[in-house]
């Protein structure tokens, strides 16, 4: 055994005398009415978590035997209830009871796709990044799960261990009649989510009612006498907004206890997070008809349900209905249902505590709402569940979305299934809400339980706002956790990244009134906004100050919320310049139903260091509600010299004209240098400074247009490359795109000052004046001769994946420019198409500089649709620069071409279809 996870060496597992016998496998899944029954099983999870405590939660196994990885090696009796992977790959073999022949032997994805009997949807499947199977696998003596050629596999195997001597019928591919009957029941339950999954109880009774609960008021919803069990609880709350959703509280007391066993915001008890999203799961659901739950909730003497309006301004109306079943006498060995709401603002080094409980019981699931302020990488956090003072958690996961049985940050978005779901994912608000029920894979405890989850890798996303309702059964009618803090019942607040919140700006003159956003259909960033008086404060203009640190062209955005009574148009001035077009908006648009929403007004503006003022000059006499301002610096291309920065040092001869343009949204720095050469042979000279000696590659970023000129280039008076005229790709008017023109590689350059000269070559008979719009000059020290950095090539299209630039410094210095083009292909056939710019026609030898890794594909290159070179296997057991891969020779015309990198397959050991390209060599044939 190479690491933790195996149960073969565990001591004997004695039965707890007071625990009743329960069914297992499919029969237990078909009986959610047995959920309250206390039990003495032990829940364990084997997973690929990083044994060193880091974030490399893949490719770690119980042990390795040649090309086979052992995922789990379990001593029975027991039953596997959950099997998951984020990147299912390899040949799966599952052995039972020490047999030498596997009872399951198939490609692992075939099992998850329901291609192998008796595994079938909806108990198996793939959703939003996660491959899953909830099909139970019972075993008497042992179970071993292996995968041949697993690559960098992420996996969980979660199972219940039974006391020694428990009789168990080991899994068989062919189900007997009782198993098939139970499977039919489970399948029907899972295909009718939102309905009660428990067996029909004909003696049940209904109660219903309605009430109004005023702000600050506590009212009794219902009181029941026992022994009995609540079977179904349905409720409709109005009004619904994010304030009433969070601030209307449910409390439930069992058997006259002094403290509630259930204490949570009413909506969140039902799994409805503060955005009010609809969903349907096995035990809870939310629809236009209200919220419903089917948790069985037994009690001996009494049940009292209370509603508390903890809000300060709005009464809430409640309509409710519950179904309960009298039980005489009350069954023994059943627990009371508990639900606890907890909210934490994350601190570095401390996890989110989903639940901390003492006593005897079992944990059955939770709903969690997660709010960040800088993306959703808080989902790098692993779950850790420990019971009964164990020194190491018996459940240790691989990531937050993995815990919720998804994967890859829920790459397909929201969904809701029987036992897991992601009901909310808003990347722009750094917001995620998800749930996980652990019913058959519940976590029993005899003394205590801790359920934690990290925020970010190693709890390194402080400031995130987590709120959770945890569900569990316990032998006591109340738990000893602290009472819910009513002051924490405030709605979650998101912050637009880099926003200058209106409530935090420096205002001059009469300050605006700052309000929360409860009267608006949309949330305000930071939870507040500035209400600007439509009368302009008797003539004084509402004015705020922007403190600018750096000379740059900024994208200035003003974001407002509006409603029917707010301004329909407005004008702003910047530093007293009342430009009617730059900062104006007009909402007289019939396409805005109800006239509620958000409106952003943006403009590009160059600002120099120091204070700048924005003043509202006109809003038609109606109030305007400013949420925030954004002052986004211009994005800059990597490793470039901005052409506009050379304006003062540029050399031109009359009648040439040269100027700076600061309203170029397509350009690096939002700016460019515009040169009108005026006559044939005119030259533009630009200074360049090289930091070190060496070989350098040069490239121009040119905005193509209908009058883009043909050029030749010289460095320090010498032609760059073989000489000749460079095409700048003239294009029809209105098709403004920055094109990259490679000037080639120059060797033996010395550090210090150099001069780049561009000479205009007029086309015969062209009477229209030429215009060169120069965005930047890129000068970089290349590792390879006659090459282009792949990450700098323009992405034309992607299929079944996404393309981005990936910094490679963490893997060494073997990558030119320190980065690569990274394409995250998802399957065979995935491809990325790049623009291949060519300054001069000719015949070229092409070569690629790939990256190789454990989840990389076999790659075919195509140029202008023609396959070039052989398929290249980019698998390696670690991340490494693959070196030069010759692709062959092609005759190419001057201008843009298309090069495609296609994942045509993968090595059997590879776990994915990713592609990494560092550089592309284009070497002219002599």
């Amino acid at each position: 055994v190479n690491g933790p996870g195996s149960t073969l060496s565990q001591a004997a597992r004695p039965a707890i005398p007071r625990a009743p016998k329960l069914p297992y496998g499919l029969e237990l899944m078909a009986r959610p009415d047995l959920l309250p029954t206390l039990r003495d099983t032990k829940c364990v999870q084997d997973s690929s978590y990083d044994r060193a405590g880091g974030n490399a939660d893949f490719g770690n196994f119980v042990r390795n035997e040649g090309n086979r990885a052992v995922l789990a090696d379990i001593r029975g009796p027991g039953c596997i209830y959950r099997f998951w992977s984020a990147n299912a790959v390899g040949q799966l073999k599952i052995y039972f009871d020490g047999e030498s022949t596997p009872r399951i032997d198939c490609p692992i994805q075939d099992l998850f796709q329901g291609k192998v009997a008796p595994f079938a949807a909806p108990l198996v499947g793939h959703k939003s990044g996660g491959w899953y199977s909830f099909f139970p696998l019972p075993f008497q003596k042992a179970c071993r799960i292996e995968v041949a050629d697993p690559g960098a596999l992420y996996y969980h195997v979660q199972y219940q261990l039974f006391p020694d001597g428990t009789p168990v019928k080991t899994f068989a591919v062919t189900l007997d009649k009782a198993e098939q009957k139970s499977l039919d029941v489970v399948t029907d339950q899972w295909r009718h989510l939102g309905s009660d999954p428990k067996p029909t109880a004909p003696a049940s009774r209904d109660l219903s009612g309605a009430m109004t609960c005023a702000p600050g008021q506590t009212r009794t919803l219902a009181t029941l006498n026992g022994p009995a069990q609540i079977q179904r609880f349905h409720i409709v709350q109005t009004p619904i907004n994010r304030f009433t959703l969070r601030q209307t509280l449910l409390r439930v007391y069992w058997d006259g206890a002094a403290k509630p066993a259930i204490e949570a915001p009413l909506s969140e008890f039902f799994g409805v997070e503060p955005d009010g999203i609809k969903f349907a799961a096995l035990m809870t659901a939310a629809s236009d008809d209200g919220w419903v739950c089917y948790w069985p909730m037994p009690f001996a003497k009494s049940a009292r349900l209370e509603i508390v309006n903890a809000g300060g301004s709005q009464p809430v109306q409640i309509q409710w209905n519950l179904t309960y079943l009298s039980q005489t006498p009350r069954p023994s060995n059943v627990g009371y249902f508990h639900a606890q709401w907890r909210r934490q603002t994350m601190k570095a080094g401390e996890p989110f505590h989903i639940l901390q409980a003492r006593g005897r019981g079992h944990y059955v699931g939770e709903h969690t709402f997660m709010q960040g302020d800088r993306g959703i990488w808080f989902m790098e956090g692993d779950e850790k569940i420990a019971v009964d003072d164990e020194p190491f958690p018996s459940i240790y996961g691989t990531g937050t979305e993995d815990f919720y049985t998804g994967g890859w940050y829920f790459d397909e978005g929201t969904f809701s299934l029987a036992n897991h779901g992601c009901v909310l994912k808003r990347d722009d608000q750094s917001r995620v809400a998800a749930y996980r029920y652990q019913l058959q894979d519940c976590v029993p405890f005899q003394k205590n339980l801790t359920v934690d989850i990290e925020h970010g890798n190693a709890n390194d996303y402080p400031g995130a706002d987590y709120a959770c309702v945890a569900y569990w059964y316990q032998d006591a009618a109340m738990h000893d956790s602290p009472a819910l803090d009513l002051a924490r019942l405030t709605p979650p607040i998101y912050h637009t990244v880099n926003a200058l919140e209106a409530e935090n700006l420096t205002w001059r003159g009469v300050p605006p009134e700052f309000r929360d956003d409860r009267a608006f259909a949309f949330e305000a960033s930071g939870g507040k906004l500035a209400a600007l008086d439509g009368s302009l404060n008797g003539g004084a203009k509402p004015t705020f100050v922007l403190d600018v640190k750096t000379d740059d062209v900024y994208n200035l955005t003003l974001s407002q919320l509006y409603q029917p009574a707010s301004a329909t148009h407005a004008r702003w001035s910047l530093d007293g310049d009342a430009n009617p077009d730059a900062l104006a908006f007009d909402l007289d648009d019939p396409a805005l139903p109800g006239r509620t929403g958000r409106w952003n007004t943006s403009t590009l503006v160059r600002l120099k260091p120091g204070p700048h003022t924005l003043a509202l000059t006109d809003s038609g006499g109606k109030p305007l509600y400013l949420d925030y301002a954004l002052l986004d610096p211009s994005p800059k291309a990597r490793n470039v010299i901005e052409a506009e920065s050379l304006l003062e040092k540029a050399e031109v001869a009359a009648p040439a004209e040269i100027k700076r343009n600061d309203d170029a949204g397509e350009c690096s720095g939002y700016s460019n240098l515009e040169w009108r050469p005026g006559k044939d042979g005119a030259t533009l000279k630009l200074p360049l400074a090289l930091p070190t000696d060496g070989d350098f590659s040069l490239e121009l970023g040119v905005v193509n247009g209908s009058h883009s000129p043909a050029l030749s280039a010289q460095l320090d008076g010498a032609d760059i490359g073989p000489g000749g005229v460079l095409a700048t790709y003239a294009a029809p008017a209105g098709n403004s795109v920055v094109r990259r023109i490679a000037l080639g590689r120059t060797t033996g350059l010395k550090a210090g000052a150099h001069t780049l000269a561009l000479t205009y070559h007029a086309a015969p008979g062209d009477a229209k004046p030429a215009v060169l719009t120069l965005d930047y000059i890129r000068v970089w020290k290349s590792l390879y001769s006659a090459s282009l950095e792949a990450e700098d090539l323009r992405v034309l299209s992607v299929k079944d994946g996404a393309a981005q630039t990936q910094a490679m410094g963490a893997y060494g210095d073997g990558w030119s420019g320190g980065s690569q083009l990274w394409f995250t292909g998802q399957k065979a056939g995935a491809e990325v198409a790049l623009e291949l710019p060519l300054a001069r026609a000719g015949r070229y030898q092409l070569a690629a500089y790939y990256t190789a890794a454990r989840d990389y594909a076999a790659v075919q290159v195509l140029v202008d649709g023609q396959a070039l070179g052989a398929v290249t296997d980019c698998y390696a057991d670690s991340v490494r620069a693959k070196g030069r891969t010759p692709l062959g020779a092609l005759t190419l015309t001057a201008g843009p071409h298309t090069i495609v990198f296609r994942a045509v397959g993968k090595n059997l050991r590879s776990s994915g279809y990713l592609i990494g390209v560092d550089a592309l060599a284009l070497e002219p044939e002599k």
Side-chain angles (χ1 to χ4, degrees):
V1 178
N2 296 340
S6 172
T7 65
L8 288 173
S9 60
Q10 286 189 355
R13 298 189 288 266
I16 298 171
R18 53 188 170 167
K21 292 183 179 180
L22 283 170
Y24 57 86
L26 288 168
E27 184 180 354
L28 182 62
M29 291 184 71
R31 295 287 307 276
D33 57 307
L34 297 177
L35 272 173
T37 306
L38 299 173
R39 52 204 72 191
D40 59 353
T41 58
K42 180 177 177 59
C43 186
V44 180
Q45 177 172 283
D46 296 338
S47 79
S48 56
Y49 75 90
D50 188 343
R51 276 38 172 179
N55 202 35
D57 294 317
F58 53 84
N60 304 303
F61 307 106
V62 171
R63 64 180 178 272
N64 293 284
E65 299 173 352
N67 73 326
R68 295 177 295 120
V70 177
L71 278 58
D73 199 350
I74 313 167
R75 179 174 69 82
C79 184
I80 296 170
Y81 283 109
R82 176 177 173 268
F83 182 24
W84 165 92
S85 177
N87 57 343
V89 64
Q91 184 76 10
L92 174 69
K93 298 176 185 291
I94 305 182
Y95 299 82
F96 293 88
D97 294 349
E99 296 171 338
S100 59
T101 301
R103 297 194 184 188
I104 298 171
D105 187 351
C106 64
I108 189 171
Q109 286 194 15
D110 284 1
L111 182 142
F112 291 124
Q113 291 174 342
K115 296 180 180 180
V116 179
F119 302 91
L123 274 68
V124 297
H126 176 271
K127 201 69 174 179
S128 210
W131 300 91
Y132 62 86
S133 170
F134 290 99
F135 200 100
L137 301 173
F139 50 92
Q140 179 65 62
K141 298 178 182 178
C143 182
R144 186 173 80 255
I145 300 179
E146 296 180 355
V147 174
D149 299 315
L153 186 71
Y154 290 83
Y155 79 92
H156 296 171
V157 177
Q158 193 160 352
Y159 48 91
Q160 297 285 4
L161 298 176
F162 305 147
D164 284 353
T166 303
V168 173
K169 179 179 181 293
T170 297
F171 168 84
V173 172
T174 301
L175 303 181
D176 63 26
K177 291 183 179 180
E179 291 169 331
Q180 185 61 54
K181 181 178 179 181
S182 294
L183 176 58
D184 292 342
V185 171
V186 174
T187 300
D188 184 69
Q189 292 168 348
W190 286 33
R191 287 180 173 164
H192 295 87
L193 300 177
S195 300
D196 193 342
K198 300 189 296 297
T200 302
S204 61
R205 291 185 286 177
D206 285 354
L207 282 180
S208 60
M211 66 166 61
T212 298
C213 194
Q217 188 177 26
T218 298
R219 297 201 60 183
T220 298
L221 190 75
T223 299
L224 306 176
N225 294 321
Q229 176 171 287
I230 295 175
Q231 297 282 84
R232 170 185 172 274
F233 184 23
H234 176 267
I235 207 155
V236 177
Q237 174 184 320
T238 53
I240 290 178
N241 57 54
R242 63 196 199 92
F243 288 86
T244 60
L245 283 172
R246 177 57 66 83
Q247 295 175 345
T248 304
L249 193 66
L250 172 69
R251 289 178 179 150
V252 179
Y253 299 81
W254 305 125
D255 294 350
K259 292 174 57 179
I262 298 173
E263 188 176 32
L266 178 63
S267 59
E268 292 176 69
F269 169 77
F270 287 94
V272 179
E273 42 68 43
D275 278 42
I277 302 297
K278 309 297 188 296
F279 74 97
L282 191 65
M283 304 309 297
T284 54
S287 69
D288 291 335
D289 296 326
W291 314 323
V292 64
C293 79
Y294 301 106
W295 296 108
M297 302 182 230
F299 54 95
K301 300 177 182 177
S302 64
R304 179 163 56 90
L305 290 74
E306 288 183 349
I307 297 294
V308 181
N309 186 345
S313 61
Q314 289 181 288
V316 293
Q317 287 78 43
I318 301 294
Q319 292 180 299
W320 59 274
N321 175 269
L322 61 82
T323 303
Y324 69 101
L325 176 67
S326 295
Q327 295 180 315
T328 305
R330 179 177 183 265
S332 60
N333 288 299
V334 297
Y336 294 90
F337 185 72
H338 293 252
Q340 182 186 41
W341 184 80
R342 181 188 290 267
R343 185 181 189 183
Q344 277 178 247
T345 301
M346 297 298 99
K347 297 179 181 179
E350 180 183 355
F352 176 57
H353 303 299
I354 292 175
L355 178 62
Q356 294 173 322
R358 292 192 298 175
R360 180 180 180 226
H362 50 282
Y363 165 76
V364 293
E366 51 82 47
H367 284 253
T368 294
F369 176 90
M370 295 160 273
Q371 173 70 71
D373 61 0
R374 52 192 182 281
I376 59 174
W377 61 268
F378 48 71
M379 287 201 294
E380 291 296 333
D382 303 337
E383 82 275 11
K384 299 175 184 179
I385 304 179
V387 302
D388 300 338
D389 300 319
E390 60 188 3
F392 192 85
S394 48
I395 295 175
Y396 194 138
T398 58
T400 301
E401 72 272 40
D402 307 349
F403 172 64
Y404 294 107
T405 317
W408 310 114
Y409 282 25
F410 298 120
D411 60 356
E412 297 172 358
T414 58
F415 67 96
S416 61
L417 296 175
N419 286 335
H420 68 287
C422 172
V423 296
L424 175 68
K425 181 190 176 189
R426 292 183 179 163
D427 296 77
D428 60 328
Q429 295 183 349
S430 304
R431 181 172 287 180
V432 175
Y435 65 89
R436 164 92 181 275
Y437 299 152
Q438 298 186 220
L439 305 182
Q440 294 72 48
D441 55 337
C442 65
V443 185
F445 55 99
Q446 309 303 324
K447 295 187 293 183
N448 51 58
L449 169 75
T450 299
V451 183
D452 287 345
I453 195 164
E454 297 171 316
H455 48 95
N457 177 36
N459 300 307
D460 56 356
Y461 194 124
D465 178 2
Y466 278 37
C468 167
V469 175
Y471 310 106
W472 76 102
Y473 289 91
Q474 192 166 332
D475 58 356
M478 65 181 188
H479 53 263
D480 58 1
S481 299
L484 187 151
D485 182 1
L486 297 183
R488 298 285 286 161
L489 293 176
T490 54
I493 295 173
Y494 84 95
H495 291 272
T496 298
V497 177
N498 298 324
L500 304 172
E501 303 289 358
E503 61 272 22
N504 297 329
L505 292 169
T506 300
W507 292 87
R508 291 180 176 172
V510 179
E513 177 187 355
F514 301 114
R515 303 179 184 176
D516 64 36
D517 57 6
R518 72 180 64 217
F520 294 85
F522 280 50
E523 291 181 54
S525 176
K528 293 183 179 180
L529 41 77
L532 306 181
D533 189 346
S535 65
L536 302 184
N537 294 314
K541 300 176 180 179
T543 302
F544 64 88
V545 179
L546 297 177
D547 187 17
V548 175
K549 303 296 184 184
T550 306
D551 185 351
D552 199 355
V553 178
Y554 294 88
N555 185 21
L556 172 60
T557 299
L558 303 181
S559 186
Q560 69 173 82
L561 299 184
Y562 63 90
Q563 56 185 2
S566 59
T568 59
H569 67 275
R571 298 290 185 272
W572 292 80
S573 67
L574 175 60
D575 294 331
D577 178 14
N579 184 336
D581 298 319
L583 288 168
F585 68 85
D586 193 334
L587 300 182
D588 287 330
D589 185 347
L592 299 173
R595 287 192 37 75
T596 61
R598 178 182 295 279
W599 190 271
N600 291 342
T601 305
S602 299
T603 187
L604 297 181
V605 58
R606 183 183 180 188
L607 297 176
K608 295 186 176 182
H612 297 266
T613 59
L614 279 92
L616 177 64
T617 60
D618 175 32
S619 63
K622 293 184 178 180
L624 181 143
Y625 302 98
L626 182 67
D627 186 7
Y628 59 83
L630 279 174
L631 198 60
D632 291 324
S634 59
K636 310 291 194 305
R638 293 185 324 108
N639 302 325
V640 303
I641 301 169
E642 296 291 344
E644 64 275 10
S645 70
L646 303 176
L647 176 63
E648 302 301 325
K649 297 179 180 180
E651 295 183 22
V652 296
E657 298 177 7
I658 188 168
K659 67 176 183 178
R660 173 177 175 147
N661 175 24
D662 287 325
D663 188 19
E666 74 275 16
C667 288
S668 171
Y670 292 148
S671 299
N672 56 50
L673 192 65
E674 189 176 286
W675 176 48
R676 297 176 180 270
K679 63 178 181 179
D680 185 43
T683 299
L684 169 64
K685 294 183 178 181
L686 301 168
L688 300 180
L690 300 181
T692 61
D693 296 350
D695 298 343
F696 290 85
S697 295
L698 277 74
E699 179 183 277
L700 301 181
V702 174
V703 181
N704 69 325
S706 57
H707 304 301
S708 295
L711 303 170
S712 61
Q714 301 82 35
L715 184 66
D716 298 331
D719 287 342
I720 299 178
V725 177
L726 304 170
T728 53
Y729 316 144
N735 185 23
S736 181
V737 177
V738 177
R739 300 288 189 181
R740 305 215 309 265
I741 303 174
L743 300 183
R745 185 168 179 262
T746 56
T747 60
L749 293 177
K750 299 294 184 181
H754 297 266
T755 300
L756 174 67
L758 302 176
T759 301
Y760 165 52
H761 298 273
D766 188 358
K768 295 181 179 179
V771 181
L772 174 66
T773 306
L774 185 61
D775 185 8
Y776 58 77
I777 304 167
R778 177 177 277 116
V779 183
W780 75 93
K781 198 170 185 177
S782 176
L783 291 182
Y784 316 117
S785 62
S787 64
L788 300 173
E789 297 293 327
E791 65 271 20
D792 292 333
L793 297 179
R794 180 179 171 222
V795 177
L796 299 176
S797 64
V798 295
K799 176 185 175 184
D800 297 325
Q804 60 185 286
T805 297
Q806 182 185 29
M808 302 300 291
Y811 303 101
D813 56 4
W815 285 265
S816 183
S819 59
Q820 69 165 353
L821 173 80
W822 191 38
F823 176 65
T824 52
Q826 298 175 352
K827 61 184 180 181
E831 65 183 35
V832 55
L834 308 175
E835 181 181 273
L836 179 63
L838 200 66
R840 298 180 178 87
R843 187 165 179 80
Y844 291 83
Q845 289 286 341
L846 275 70
Y849 292 88
Y850 291 113
T851 298
R854 291 191 292 184
D855 48 0
Y856 276 40
V859 183
Q860 175 69 66
V861 171
L862 301 92
V863 176
D864 297 334
Q866 176 184 343
L868 188 66
V871 173
T872 303
D873 183 359
C874 291
Y875 169 82
D877 58 4
S878 61
V879 179
R880 64 185 68 172
K882 189 172 177 61
R884 179 184 173 86
T885 301
L887 297 175
L890 272 183
T891 300
L892 298 171
T893 59
H897 296 265
T898 300
I899 184 166
V900 171
F901 294 90
R902 178 179 295 165
V904 295
K906 65 180 183 64
N907 189 297
L908 288 176
R909 291 171 291 174
S910 175
S911 62
Y913 294 90
L914 280 60
I915 300 174
V917 188
D918 180 19
L920 186 69
L922 281 166
E923 300 171 348
E925 287 191 345
K926 301 297 185 183

